Amino acid sequence: MNYLVISPFYPENFQPFTVELSKKEDVTVLGIGQEPYDQLPEELRSALTEYFRVENLENLDEVKRAAAFLIYKHGPIDRVESHNEHWLESDAALREQFNIFGVKPKQLKRTKHKSEMKKFFTKVGVPVAPGMLVKKDKDIEKALKKIGFPIIAKPDNGVGAAGTFKLTKKADVDAFKEAWDGQTTYFFEKFIDLQEIVTYDGLIDSKGEVVFETSLVYAHAPLELLLSNKDNAYYIEKELDPKLAEYGRAIIKAFGMKERFFHIEFFKDGRDYIAIEYNNRIAGGFTVEAYNYAHSIDLFRDYANIVTGQEVADRPFAPQYCLVATRRDKTNYVHSEDEIKQRYADNIKTIKRMPDAFAELQGNSAYILTADHLEVIQEMIDYIGKTR
């Protein structure tokens, strides 16, 4: 098997995907990235049979030429993946161009466009907020009449909370019109006044079956983080709510993906849930580490197993809660990092520096800790994030 990794260096905490694949017999791991070869760590260089450096990964034609060269030299590519939201469309285009297994652009549309996601959620009976596509100025008035204030306006094909507007009155609509380029298609949907956002996350095997599932809870919603510049904090649940799992599995079946991670966001509405969006990749930041610590597993190895037709590892240990709490360099906190380490010496697993690309939204340092009780997790969030 020839496995092509797009951007094997960045983000750095995804490098183990490449390393674990290289340990499998009959798997040749190739890479295309824009970092110089000498910048790659020794372990990553050793895992790659060949690395092709391009000037710009944004230039799809350049990436396609690099892939064509690697195919000429090593034979057909069997898989191509980045695990990164930013490169999902490029990954899909490469699969279509070179007839590679996996998600093609047509399939990707259903997971990139919020309007398309809603159709699949509704099809399997999962609650959603009412919404409407806005392509032209005249659509805005139609949406206001159909949905009514308050409204959340998001790019139909967008990531996270970027480009999001909350519309509660006419002045907000005027501000949106002023900022809107008129070219980006937006999706207007009813603002749901619920504070708790949870996810159904996991890994799908080559048959489309879920082989790992979990859930995380955000201390602050992504839009709140964007608007308030608060510290980010979320935790992996110790147990999965059966209702959430029921909705999540139905969605997975409807979308029909294979050999992929997924990250599906929901509002928690009492004992029920309202679907927000489907992300056709693993959650960003250091969430994969949090999954691993919470469940005492190695998802990097599990992924390599399913790609090569093997079973995921047994789960011999009971899960724990796992917290990811971030802090900003510019904020004056009550408790120092040394005090955090001392207070939670039995809980803290690692401290990571956030890549610059994510730091503005998520913070500069990430603290990853485990606990058996939710009360301890809540105390950690308060203690780590307390400011002067």
Side-chain angles (χ1 to χ4, degrees), residues 188-330:
F188 280 28
E189 64 182 351
K190 190 72 175 180
F191 173 73
I192 304 297
D193 191 17
L194 295 169
Q195 299 304 310
E196 191 169 0
I197 294 181
V198 304
T199 72
Y200 176 69
D201 298 352
L203 176 63
I204 314 164
D205 68 12
S206 59
K207 298 176 182 177
E209 299 295 328
V210 176
V211 294
F212 168 70
E213 57 184 357
T214 192
S215 175
L216 68 83
V217 178
Y218 292 105
H220 309 292
L223 179 59
E224 186 181 0
L225 279 177
L226 183 69
L227 297 177
S228 66
N229 210 34
K230 288 184 176 180
D231 293 322
N232 192 20
Y234 58 88
Y235 60 88
I236 310 300
E237 284 277 24
K238 188 175 178 179
E239 297 179 357
L240 186 61
D241 183 348
K243 184 70 172 181
L244 180 62
E246 177 189 340
Y247 281 162
R249 291 167 191 162
I251 290 170
I252 292 300
K253 187 174 181 180
F255 277 79
M257 299 300 173
K258 297 178 180 179
E259 283 188 17
R260 298 200 64 78
F261 288 96
F262 58 86
H263 172 61
I264 311 172
E265 295 181 343
F266 296 82
F267 287 112
K268 188 172 185 181
D269 185 13
R271 295 184 178 180
D272 205 356
Y273 298 89
I274 300 171
I276 303 173
E277 66 179 50
Y278 182 111
N279 294 281
N280 198 31
R281 41 81 183 172
I282 200 165
F286 298 107
T287 310
V288 63
E289 285 87 348
Y291 298 148
N292 285 340
Y293 286 125
H295 294 272
S296 299
I297 58 176
D298 186 340
L299 282 171
F300 302 111
R301 188 173 303 160
D302 284 346
Y303 177 77
N305 281 348
I306 68 161
V307 167
T308 53
Q310 301 172 43
E311 300 291 327
V312 298
D314 291 336
R315 315 294 198 213
F317 301 105
Q320 297 177 290
Y321 293 101
C322 185
L323 170 67
V324 179
T326 67
R327 306 214 305 186
R328 301 176 187 279
D329 293 346
K330 65 182 180 182

Side-chain angles (χ1 to χ4, degrees), residues 40-164:
L40 308 186
E42 176 57 34
E43 187 178 32
L44 184 59
R45 289 202 302 265
S46 298
L48 292 166
T49 297
E50 183 156 359
Y51 175 74
F52 194 111
R53 180 180 181 269
V54 294
E55 289 298 321
N56 185 2
L57 276 174
E58 304 279 0
N59 186 333
L60 184 56
D61 287 337
E62 186 182 11
V63 175
K64 284 181 177 180
R65 288 194 295 271
F69 172 81
L70 293 173
I71 290 170
Y72 170 77
K73 189 169 180 180
H74 298 277
I77 302 295
D78 299 286
R79 300 289 189 275
V80 59
E81 187 59 68
S82 65
H83 296 294
N84 195 312
E85 177 77 39
H86 193 74
W87 310 117
L88 286 181
E89 290 176 288
S90 296
D91 295 347
L94 288 170
R95 294 189 194 103
E96 184 168 72
Q97 176 79 27
F98 299 107
N99 193 28
I100 300 168
F101 170 91
V103 181
K104 308 297 195 298
K106 186 176 180 180
Q107 293 172 288
L108 189 64
K109 182 181 178 182
R110 69 184 70 161
T111 67
K112 291 290 290 181
H113 295 262
K114 295 173 178 61
S115 56
E116 293 294 319
M117 296 177 199
K118 299 284 184 180
K119 296 176 185 177
F120 285 88
F121 297 154
T122 303
K123 181 180 177 181
V124 295
V126 177
V128 298
M132 176 180 163
L133 275 177
V134 171
K135 298 181 179 180
K136 301 177 182 178
D137 274 342
K138 64 180 182 179
D139 295 333
I140 296 176
E141 295 306 318
K142 291 180 182 178
L144 293 174
K145 189 175 294 185
K146 177 182 176 180
I147 303 169
F149 290 126
I151 286 173
I152 285 291
K154 302 178 181 179
D156 190 40
N157 181 5
V159 179
T164 298

